[in-house]
Amino acid sequence: MTLNDTLELDRAIKLTSSWSLRGEKGTNRFTNRVSYKNIAAVEELLELLKSDFHNQNKKFHKSVYREYLCIILAHLFFAREYECRVRYSRSTSHCSGGINSVIVIKVLEFLGTLSLVKQHIAAPVEGNPEQSTFWPTEKFTSYSTDKLEWQSIAFVDDFICLRGEKVQDELPLPEPAKHLYSRVSKVNSFLQNTRILQDNKKLKVVLRRVFKYSLELGGRFYTRGGFPYQTIKKEHRKLITIDGYPTKEVDFKAMHLNMLYAWAGIKLDSRSLCNRGTRARCC
């Protein structure tokens, strides 16, 4: 595979703390906590970064930079595998999604001096919708070979989300949620071993379930981790294949309403149903 500077921006993934490298002991399937130790490639880079800090007489927080190196390397590894860029914010006025832009910029500059990463820095103009991006170089490919494996990438966000009235209100999970973690984890493991392509380009799918107020309400699956599988444009969805098989999008009108009537043993015809005086067709 040849990486170049023309990687499509519309396929760029967002830098998120949901993706990282994991240590030898892997990830706890219930808490998704990751061990950042015992990753040789990361420790090698950390020592170089530490020397860079000491040469500038700056304080070096090893645990912090280890975590950010793991996050950025995971994204680079993913971008190499799926031939895409990584979008990120260079704004230092706020932290987006738990990501500290100052540390990200420092790590990217460091990786740039080693020729492991290339960047396109968007102009800092107010109202400019363009975002800065970075992507791996050919040197990163040769560097990461035999040092990083696909199994090293971990999804470190919650597979189960319980929300309140507002989207940003996440409620603590009750004890019964643990068995759901295992189920969603199995689904994601299956997806990881499934070859999903869109126009012959790899797609990554990671799912989580979102409930509202309690585990009895909601529970829909949503893509997670910055990967736009559910938001692919209509004209591109028809190009998706799964393990080499073409796919077809099926649209069921009033699906849930029809299911309820079917469970009740009532057959719906094409006539309209009345709802508060408004007529809505059911098929």
Side-chain angles (χ1 to χ4, degrees):
M1 180 187 68
T2 301
L3 292 174
N4 53 56
D5 299 356
T6 61
L7 297 173
E8 301 143 70
L9 290 174
D10 62 348
R11 296 184 70 243
I13 60 172
K14 182 181 179 182
L15 181 67
T16 168
S17 57
S18 298
W19 285 91
S20 182
L21 298 179
R22 59 185 170 196
E24 292 178 354
K25 293 183 179 179
T27 308
N28 183 297
R29 68 176 184 173
F30 290 141
T31 66
N32 288 330
R33 300 197 182 281
V34 166
S35 167
Y36 291 107
K37 298 180 180 180
N38 303 319
I39 307 175
V42 175
E43 297 304 318
E44 290 176 10
L45 292 172
L46 271 176
E47 288 303 312
L48 293 174
L49 183 56
K50 181 179 178 180
S51 299
D52 187 43
F53 267 76
H54 287 172
N55 291 337
Q56 300 178 44
N57 294 318
K58 293 182 179 179
K59 190 174 182 180
F60 181 67
H61 298 279
K62 191 171 184 177
S63 61
V64 173
Y65 279 91
R66 177 186 284 116
E67 180 177 348
Y68 273 79
L69 262 176
C70 286
I71 290 171
I72 291 175
L73 287 174
H75 284 74
L76 284 171
F77 190 72
F78 184 93
R80 187 201 77 180
E81 185 77 7
Y82 287 85
E83 299 184 67
C84 62
R85 295 190 185 193
V86 183
R87 295 181 286 112
Y88 74 104
S89 171
R90 294 180 66 89
S91 173
T92 57
S93 60
H94 68 284
C95 294
S96 175
I99 295 289
N100 187 311
S101 297
V102 175
I103 301 177
V104 169
I105 292 170
K106 176 62 182 175
V107 172
L108 289 176
E109 288 176 349
F110 164 69
L111 294 175
T113 62
L114 299 177
S115 300
L116 297 176
V117 64
K118 283 189 176 183
Q119 293 189 74
H120 169 73
I121 301 175
V125 179
E126 186 175 352
N128 181 13
E130 184 183 20
Q131 278 193 288
S132 297
T133 57
F134 65 87
W135 62 98
T137 62
E138 289 290 350
K139 186 175 179 180
F140 176 84
T141 300
S142 59
Y143 174 82
S144 59
T145 301
D146 299 326
K147 290 187 177 182
L148 297 175
E149 297 180 353
W150 182 247
Q151 289 76 15
S152 299
I153 296 183
F155 178 72
V156 295
D157 207 348
D158 289 334
F159 287 140
I160 305 295
C161 174
L162 183 60
R163 286 180 176 161
E165 184 64 32
K166 299 180 180 179
V167 171
Q168 62 269 28
D169 295 339
E170 290 203 14
L171 306 176
L173 292 173
E175 188 68 20
K178 286 188 175 181
H179 79 278
L180 293 176
Y181 267 100
S182 180
R183 292 183 180 182
V184 180
S185 180
K186 287 179 180 179
V187 171
N188 284 319
S189 295
F190 174 78
L191 289 171
Q192 183 170 324
N193 294 300
T194 302
R195 186 174 177 80
I196 304 174
L197 303 179
Q198 183 250 307
D199 197 17
N200 292 320
K201 294 172 183 174
K202 291 182 181 180
L203 288 177
K204 181 67 177 176
V205 185
V206 174
L207 302 175
R208 74 168 183 167
R209 294 188 68 184
V210 178
F211 295 84
K212 191 168 184 179
Y213 301 129
S214 77
L215 297 180
E216 303 298 322
L217 296 174
R220 284 189 176 185
F221 283 87
Y222 293 90
T223 52
R224 187 63 172 150
F227 306 108
Y229 182 75
Q230 284 183 317
T231 57
I232 294 175
K233 295 179 181 178
K234 183 177 181 179
E235 60 269 25
H236 295 155
R237 291 199 293 267
K238 61 185 179 182
L239 302 175
I240 293 175
T241 61
I242 300 176
D243 283 339
Y245 292 95
T247 58
K248 182 73 174 178
E249 185 176 14
V250 181
D251 185 13
F252 294 94
K253 294 183 179 179
M255 180 177 181
H256 293 90
L257 189 58
N258 277 281
M259 287 173 63
L260 287 172
Y261 271 79
W263 282 338
I266 303 174
K267 184 178 180 180
L268 279 175
D269 55 29
S270 59
R271 287 178 291 179
S272 302
L273 294 176
C274 294
N275 182 18
R276 297 182 181 178
T278 302
R279 305 192 105 190
R281 289 189 65 80
C282 287
C283 301

